[in-house]
Amino acid sequence: MKGRAEIVGGGFAGLTAACALAQRGWRVRLHERADRLRTAGAGINVYENGLRVLQAVGAAEETLHEGFVTKMRETRDEHDRLLSVHHWNIRVYGVVRQRMIDALAASATRAGAEIVPNSEGVAATPDGELLLADGRRIKADLIVAADGVNSKLRDSLGLLAHRRYLQDGCIRTMFEESVGQDGKTIEYWSGKRRLLYNPASTRHLYIALSMPHDDVEARELPVRKDVWTESFPRLAALIEKLSEGRYDRFEYLRLKRWSAGRVAVIGDAAHAIPPNIGQGAGCAMMNALALAVYLEKNDVAFGLQEWEEKERPLTNHTQRISLLYGMPTFWPQGLRRLFYGLAGRSRWLTQQRTRTARHIPTGTTS
Ligand SMILES: Cc1cc2nc3c(=O)[nH]c(=O)nc-3n(C[C@H](O)[C@H](O)[C@H](O)COP(=O)(O)OP(=O)(O)OC[C@H]3O[C@@H](n4cnc5c(N)ncnc54)[C@H](O)[C@@H]3O)c2cc1C
């Protein structure tokens, strides 16, 4: 036995850490403040890097059951004219988020991790004490803060270096629809508004509507079909099917360090990333698995240091490139067209954008 690990947060980051640590001999308990494991945000894209992590922790098969195999991403304007196309030469799946959460939870439980709902973490100390909302204090050899972008544990340790709301946000929605097998996702642009058509399984269509945060009518819920149809008249029939959804403003944050003593911070709590290249959960899962790998042969202090030193540069790169791909939203239309046209053709830019997806994560075989 390696020791006791207390994980706070049952999202993609916390659950992956639970699997990977329990599979390496840690006694793992995961605290989730909600009454059950559930995830907001409908669908998600998982790229080669994330798929490798799912495979390594034993959650790939269940996650990918009925998953949508994505072969290409088109960018189109409001008149349906093609601006650019990217053919994936790696694996990419559209997945229903809840299915991935359930698959990770099942794998964590199989490995012996205990998942405790209705249990909220409020603070942690570098010497390994976790304070819960019910007043209990628990000692652990390792505490993993995976409590999302508003992480209480991170803030109790003063680790935040920089946090900012970005100028844009997104409504995510999903409905049952049998989708074609052409392997195509499409991002439509109209002015500063975007509509992402993205199957999340062979039976679920995930739609993400992005807009500047100050575009109040476009981010209204239930979805303002009149407003969105005005922007995308050719998609009127699709827009008519939208109703319920969830709006989130994009955020970006960086930490001074990814750990303090016996506490490691992972996922959005450590490195919230705007979703322009769809790698927030990918990085969360890679870093969670790597954490367990670095602690396999090292003590906690050395292991956490090595982990951050080796893994953080790729996450930093992912954050930078994702910010870059969000910038054209606020450029004049002509310039934006030029950027996406160029971005589609530039080998260098494509390599930068896909570097994270092509990375072979620590703890997975090449
Ligand atoms: C519009 C949009 C689209 C995206 N698309 C993609 C994509 O296609 N691909 C991709 O890889 N990423 C994508 N992302 C990013 C991805 O959703 C996040 O990076 C990922 O969900 C982060 O996982 P997490 O486990 O760190 O945090 P979360 O998912 O936020 O999970 C945190 C968990 O901790 C729990 N919790 C919070 N506080 C406490 C507490 N104090 N005590 C106990 N439990 C607590 C919460 O209830 C939750 O269950 C997207 C994000 C957005 C906004």
Side-chain angles (χ1 to χ4, degrees):
M1 278 285 170
K2 296 285 291 182
R4 171 159 284 287
E6 301 284 343
I7 300 174
V8 177
F12 300 125
L15 287 167
T16 306
C19 295
L21 289 166
Q23 286 159 356
R24 286 165 179 75
W26 289 78
R27 275 174 294 136
V28 174
R29 183 160 46 194
L30 182 147
H31 304 264
E32 167 54 52
R33 74 173 167 196
D35 59 357
R36 64 196 160 88
L37 296 176
R38 59 169 171 245
T39 174
I44 190 162
N45 289 313
V46 190
Y47 299 80
E48 182 70 42
N49 58 321
L51 295 170
R52 282 173 176 273
V53 176
L54 289 171
Q55 188 78 45
V57 300
E61 199 178 323
E62 204 177 320
T63 298
L64 299 183
H65 176 67
E66 295 187 337
F68 180 77
V69 182
T70 307
K71 299 194 184 102
M72 68 176 107
R73 162 71 63 94
E74 289 183 353
T75 306
R76 293 180 169 270
D77 71 8
E78 68 273 32
H79 305 297
D80 211 12
R81 287 183 301 222
L82 189 66
L83 300 177
S84 71
V85 58
H86 178 77
H87 293 270
W88 292 106
N89 54 7
I90 51 167
R91 290 182 300 157
V92 183
Y93 275 79
V95 164
V96 174
R97 280 184 179 242
Q98 191 62 43
R99 188 183 280 275
M100 188 151 109
I101 286 287
D102 292 344
L104 284 165
S107 186
T109 308
R110 279 196 299 274
E114 180 192 0
I115 296 175
V116 190
N118 296 310
S119 184
E120 183 178 351
V122 290
T125 61
D127 65 349
E129 192 170 66
L130 172 65
L131 176 62
L132 297 173
D134 63 10
R136 273 184 306 143
R137 288 174 180 277
I138 301 172
K139 279 296 268 187
D141 301 289
L142 173 71
I143 295 174
V144 181
D147 47 345
V149 68
N150 296 312
S151 171
K152 288 187 174 163
L153 267 66
R154 171 198 68 211
D155 292 343
S156 75
L157 291 159
L159 288 172
L160 194 60
H162 178 82
R163 179 176 185 177
R164 72 171 194 266
Y165 277 115
L166 301 178
Q167 291 182 67
D168 42 358
C170 175
I171 293 174
R172 286 172 285 175
T173 174
M174 190 168 66
F175 54 91
E176 286 211 25
E177 174 107 329
S178 96
V179 297
Q181 287 302 308
D182 57 2
K184 200 189 282 187
T185 62
I186 310 171
E187 185 166 65
Y188 295 93
W189 279 89
S190 175
K192 295 183 170 59
R193 294 177 183 161
R194 283 185 269 173
L195 186 154
L196 175 66
Y197 170 97
N198 198 136
S201 87
T202 48
R203 301 185 288 116
H204 293 91
L205 186 53
Y206 161 48
I207 302 287
L209 306 170
S210 307
M211 72 299 283
H213 182 69
D214 61 11
D215 187 350
V216 177
E217 54 178 16
R219 69 173 156 92
E220 231 173 81
L221 283 166
V223 172
R224 285 281 302 274
K225 295 175 187 169
D226 55 336
V227 169
W228 283 92
T229 304
E230 204 179 306
S231 289
F232 298 97
R234 296 179 66 113
L235 302 177
L238 171 68
I239 291 166
E240 192 48 45
K241 295 180 183 170
L242 310 180
S243 56
E244 294 300 313
R246 171 197 164 102
Y247 174 75
D248 290 283
R249 189 166 177 182
F250 300 156
E251 282 197 72
Y252 166 81
L253 66 81
R254 272 191 291 116
L255 301 193
K256 295 173 195 158
R257 294 182 313 283
W258 278 4
S259 67
R262 295 187 173 276
V263 188
V265 187
I266 59 171
D268 278 7
H271 50 66
I273 301 172
N276 303 312
I277 62 165
Q279 277 292 350
C283 286
M285 294 192 296
M286 285 198 296
N287 293 332
L289 171 59
L291 172 74
V293 173
Y294 282 97
L295 292 177
E296 220 171 345
K297 295 200 177 75
N298 299 301
D299 63 28
V300 170
F302 187 70
L304 292 183
Q305 198 186 320
E306 281 266 294
W307 166 65
E308 176 168 356
E309 217 173 283
K310 298 274 170 38
E311 303 295 327
R312 188 165 173 167
L314 182 65
T315 299
N316 288 347
H317 166 83
T318 311
Q319 287 188 299
R320 280 194 300 270
I321 205 78
S322 189
L323 281 176
L324 172 73
Y325 270 79
M327 282 161 67
T329 309
F330 298 94
W331 295 352
Q333 181 146 319
L335 206 57
R336 186 165 58 239
R337 259 172 211 277
L338 195 69
F339 174 83
Y340 281 103
L342 259 175
R345 288 193 302 274
S346 160
R347 211 176 134 80
W348 182 82
L349 256 180
T350 303
Q351 283 194 338
Q352 300 307 311
R353 180 162 68 88
T354 58
R355 187 157 123 202
T356 316
R358 289 181 289 105
H359 177 70
I360 295 175
T362 303
T364 70
T365 44
S366 56

